[in-house]
Structures are given as C-alpha cells and as structure tokens.
Amino acid sequence: PWLVPNKGRVGFSASDAARYAPEARGRHQLPWIAVDRSLAQYRGVEHLDNETLLSTELDEETRRRFRQRLVDSGLEPDSYIWMPVHPWQWDEVILPVFAPDVAAKRIFPLGEGPDRYRAQQSIRTFANDDQPQRHYVKLPLSILNTLVWRGLPTERTVAAPAVTAWVLGIAESDEFIRDETRAVLLGEVASVTVRHPVLEDIEGVPYQYRELLGAIWREPLASKLDPGEHARTLASLLHVDRNGRSFVTELVSRSGLDAEHWLQKLVSALLPPLLHFLYQYGVVFSPHGENTIVVFEDDVPTRLAVKDFVDDVNISGTPLPELEGLPSDVDEALLREPPEFLRQFIQSGLFVGHFRYLAPIVEEHLGVSEERFWTFVREEVLAYQKRFPELAERFALFDLSLIHI
C-alpha cells in the first residue's frame, strides 16, 4: 500500500506523481523522523558516531533542511536522533501506537530524504538506488511473514554493531577466510532503537510489541566488490522464466564452463567459509537463499557474501576456546545452541532449504543428475576436512554426515 502516495500521512507531503511512473516503480524516497533521546538510543562501530553516519547518508542541504524544521517548531535539534522509517510502519503502527509521543513532538517527522531506495528480497531492507555506496537500511515492518513478525528486536538491534565488530574481527584475523576464501561479510555497523515507553514495561507482552521502531545500517555490497565482479542472491539460481529457461542455465552458458565445472565452482565458493566458521569457531550464519549472496566474475561463481548478523548469527553452546573472552554485549545478544542444532543452520538452511530445490533444476536444465550434484557438495566438505585435519574433533562434534550419499 505504501507504494501509492498517501496524502494523509502526518508530517509528510504527497510525493511528485512522476516518481510513481512505471519506470520509477519500486524506487521510493524514505521518510525520516527525529526521536527524542529519552526514547532513542544510537550505537555504532568504532569511529562511526551518529554525526558521522548522518554525514555519509544525507547530503548537507538535507541535513540543513531537517535541522531547520526542528528549529522552526521550537525544538532543539541536538536533543533528537534522526532515523528513516518505513512509510507503511509510520502510517499503520507508529502514528496510532506512539500517538502521545508524536503529539508531544518526542517523535517528529522531518520529511523525505533525497535518495530513492528499492526494497530487497527481505522486504524490510532497502538498498540506495541513487547512491549505491551508501548503506543498506533495515527497518521494522509489523507484518507476519514466514511465521514471524518482521520487527527489529530491541536488545539485538542495540548489540548489532558490537556483533559486527566481533564477527569481522574473526574474519580479518583468520588467514583462510581473509586471503583464501575472501568471503564478504556485510556488517551491521550502526543502529537506532526506540523503546515504547509503556508496552515494553508490560510483563509478558508479545515480542512483536517490543520491535516496533528502530533502524539498522548495513554495509553496502557494492563497496566490497572488485572491478568486474557481480553479485546475485543464491535464491536467484532457482528462477525459471515463463519460457521454461532456468537462470542457472543462462549463467552456465555465459560462463564458458561446462555445467559440472560451474557447479563445482559454486559449491567451492559457498561452503569453505561457512564450514570454517562452524568448525574453527563454533559460529554459524543462516545461509538461506536470501541471506547468501554469490559473487561472480564473468558469470563464474568465485566467492561468498553473507549478511544478517543480528538476527541469524548463533554460537556453540558447547564451550570452545575460540569463544572464551567473548565481549559481554555480544555474548548477551547471540544465542548459544547445542552442536546438533548448530549444524542444522548449514544442513537445513543451505542443503535442505536451497540445494534440495536447486538439484532437480540442475538435473532437468543442465543434465547433471541430482546424485552427481550432491556428490560435489560431499566432496567439498571432505576436501575441507582433509585441509584441516587438526579439527577432527570438531568434525565429529558438528557432524554433517546427513549429507553422505
């Protein structure tokens, strides 16, 4: 519904109709609000304070305009934290649920930012179309989607930059991840949380009422790619067009490789960094088709990019030396899981949740049997285990034998 201009939106003017022409469909400016510091809390990685973030996300003229709007309303700009808000969330949730704070100007609409954004597959995360080097923005959206309400949990959102710093610290200090796999980890570098002054004090309130307003800024993929590289979500490989031609067929054809060699490249780009995080550090991401991004060079898969740390990074509940000395804010934010559950992130998230659907497409469209495809997966796991024999105890602890055929 928010794709149509809402003339009734409090504090926001109707947008120019030209923005909603067919060629602009799906690209929209985001409204920004100012939230009193008594309600809002900002967190950022080292060297990314609130002012620095705003200077990278909003041009000087927009910052001046927003600041002047506060001044003209008799408000002190430095008493507020600025953040974008999902237009639907503003209309349907923030206005009714935070009505006293909006009326008292503790939450104040600033107007729309200048850049146009496009929603990603995850619905609540937006990429900047006009300035791709600027951050992705993840915003709460109180809709029930894939069994959960898509808000932003307050505690985990507060901890997002700390979790990012810890995960990136592992990658930067590990030679295999840093230099060999060259995995791209899209860190969540800044966040704003807004606590509802009443709902969050009610004992037993359903979780969705603790996730109503906030924002997370994530590193943009464009800044991580080398010249000539392109990236596509893993989910895109399942696409078959209306003429019956699969996307994976098109990519193999463009690459110049035979189908088996291309598929081997795909699993060798994805699995080693995920396996290394699991076996070496007891850390898992949720590598489903939307979180997992394949980086290509000349349409040949070369490396992995992965995102969504605050919601989907989990760590081993079995004590490991690598998890000793975990920063307290990171330890409190991340879920600890037993080995049999932790390994399920790869088994269920990647193998069952994605490869199970890719394998029959590969057989039908590329002529590579499902059994042969799964052989490539198994061989990649065994190759990793041969490369790091010193981790034999971890291979048994996080047993992936489910994939044996």
Side-chain angles (χ1 to χ4, degrees):
W2 76 276
L3 300 183
V4 179
N6 183 346
K7 292 181 169 32
R9 186 176 297 143
V10 175
F12 299 106
S13 61
S15 302
D16 186 88
R19 283 180 48 229
Y20 295 88
E23 61 272 17
R25 203 165 286 157
R27 303 162 62 197
H28 306 280
Q29 292 161 268
L30 290 176
W32 282 68
I33 60 176
V35 184
D36 190 274
R37 291 179 183 271
S38 64
L39 299 176
Q41 186 177 19
Y42 174 85
R43 287 286 187 274
V45 296
E46 190 176 6
H47 307 308
L48 189 62
D49 58 32
N50 191 212
E51 288 302 314
T52 302
L53 174 72
L54 292 178
S55 69
T56 63
E57 295 301 295
L58 297 171
D59 60 84
E60 185 176 352
E61 171 56 28
T62 300
R63 299 198 306 275
R64 186 204 63 76
R65 171 166 57 89
F66 285 176
R67 190 175 184 87
Q68 191 61 47
R69 178 154 188 177
L70 288 164
V71 171
D72 290 345
S73 298
L75 303 174
E76 172 51 56
D78 292 338
S79 297
Y80 289 81
I81 292 175
W82 300 356
M83 58 183 289
V85 63
H86 195 292
W88 186 92
Q89 189 78 350
W90 172 260
D91 289 339
E92 305 296 330
V93 177
I94 306 307
L95 284 178
V97 178
F98 286 85
D101 299 296
V102 176
K105 298 184 180 179
R106 290 186 291 270
I107 296 178
F108 185 80
L110 297 171
E112 290 183 332
D115 296 339
R116 292 171 298 177
Y117 286 79
R118 187 185 300 272
Q120 298 184 323
Q121 276 183 282
S122 58
I123 304 175
R124 58 181 168 163
T125 301
F126 294 84
N128 193 317
D129 256 15
D130 294 329
Q131 305 283 347
Q133 76 280 7
R134 289 179 172 166
H135 294 87
Y136 299 146
V137 182
K138 184 175 184 178
L139 303 173
L141 187 58
S142 296
I143 62 172
L144 190 63
N145 181 46
T146 58
L147 302 181
V148 296
W149 295 91
R150 291 295 167 177
L152 286 181
T154 298
E155 294 80 6
R156 292 171 75 89
T157 301
V158 167
V163 172
T164 286
W166 178 71
V167 171
L168 293 183
I170 291 176
E172 291 164 2
S173 62
D174 188 289
E175 184 177 329
F176 180 72
I177 296 172
R178 184 189 66 233
D179 298 334
E180 294 194 41
T181 72
R182 299 180 60 239
V184 177
L185 305 176
L186 300 178
E188 293 155 340
V189 295
S191 69
V192 172
T193 54
V194 181
R195 184 179 180 277
H196 192 281
V198 176
L199 289 176
E200 295 199 32
D201 287 337
I202 299 175
E203 186 177 354
V205 67
Y207 73 90
Q208 61 264 35
Y209 296 107
R210 296 175 177 269
E211 306 180 355
L212 300 177
L213 185 56
I216 290 176
W217 285 266
R218 178 183 291 146
E219 292 179 296
L221 181 57
S223 66
K224 303 286 188 178
L225 299 180
D226 295 337
E229 286 187 327
H230 297 85
R232 305 172 177 97
T233 62
L234 185 61
S236 69
L237 301 187
L238 301 182
H239 177 68
V240 179
D241 69 21
R242 67 183 65 183
N243 298 315
R245 183 170 174 81
S246 71
F247 185 46
V248 71
T249 299
E250 182 66 26
L251 292 175
V252 171
S253 176
R254 293 180 188 178
S255 73
L257 301 180
D258 63 74
E260 288 202 354
H261 191 191
W262 192 94
L263 291 169
Q264 288 172 322
K265 289 283 189 180
L266 176 66
V267 296
S268 68
L270 299 179
L271 283 177
L274 296 175
L275 295 173
H276 199 68
F277 267 102
L278 172 63
Y279 290 138
Q280 180 69 68
Y281 299 103
V283 175
V284 291
F285 303 93
S286 184
H288 56 67
E290 188 268 316
N291 273 356
T292 304
I293 300 164
V294 187
V295 178
F296 296 83
E297 188 170 353
D298 296 326
D299 292 310
V300 176
T302 55
R303 53 185 178 138
L304 164 78
V306 68
K307 63 182 181 68
D308 213 348
F309 298 169
V310 66
D311 283 338
D312 289 333
V313 167
N314 284 246
I315 58 177
S316 174
T318 299
L320 300 177
E322 291 82 1
L323 296 176
E324 293 176 359
L326 201 62
S328 59
D329 48 357
V330 175
D331 196 9
E332 292 171 4
L334 298 183
L335 297 177
R336 290 182 177 267
E337 303 290 355
E340 61 272 17
F341 187 86
L342 208 66
R343 70 190 183 197
Q344 285 294 316
F345 281 80
I346 293 177
Q347 290 176 328
S348 297
L350 182 60
F351 297 159
V352 177
H354 187 83
F355 283 173
R356 174 168 63 108
Y357 299 99
L358 180 61
I361 291 176
V362 163
E363 181 168 88
E364 178 181 355
H365 294 268
L366 296 179
V368 178
S369 70
E370 291 192 47
E371 183 176 1
R372 184 68 173 146
F373 172 80
W374 285 108
T375 298
F376 298 151
V377 175
R378 180 175 184 270
E379 287 175 347
E380 193 63 44
V381 174
L382 295 177
Y384 174 88
Q385 294 180 348
K386 183 178 181 180
R387 169 75 186 277
F388 294 97
E390 68 275 16
L391 296 176
E393 290 185 3
R394 302 284 175 87
F395 304 152
L397 181 64
F398 305 111
D399 184 14
L400 293 177
S401 60
L402 177 68
I403 67 169
H404 286 189
I405 57 175

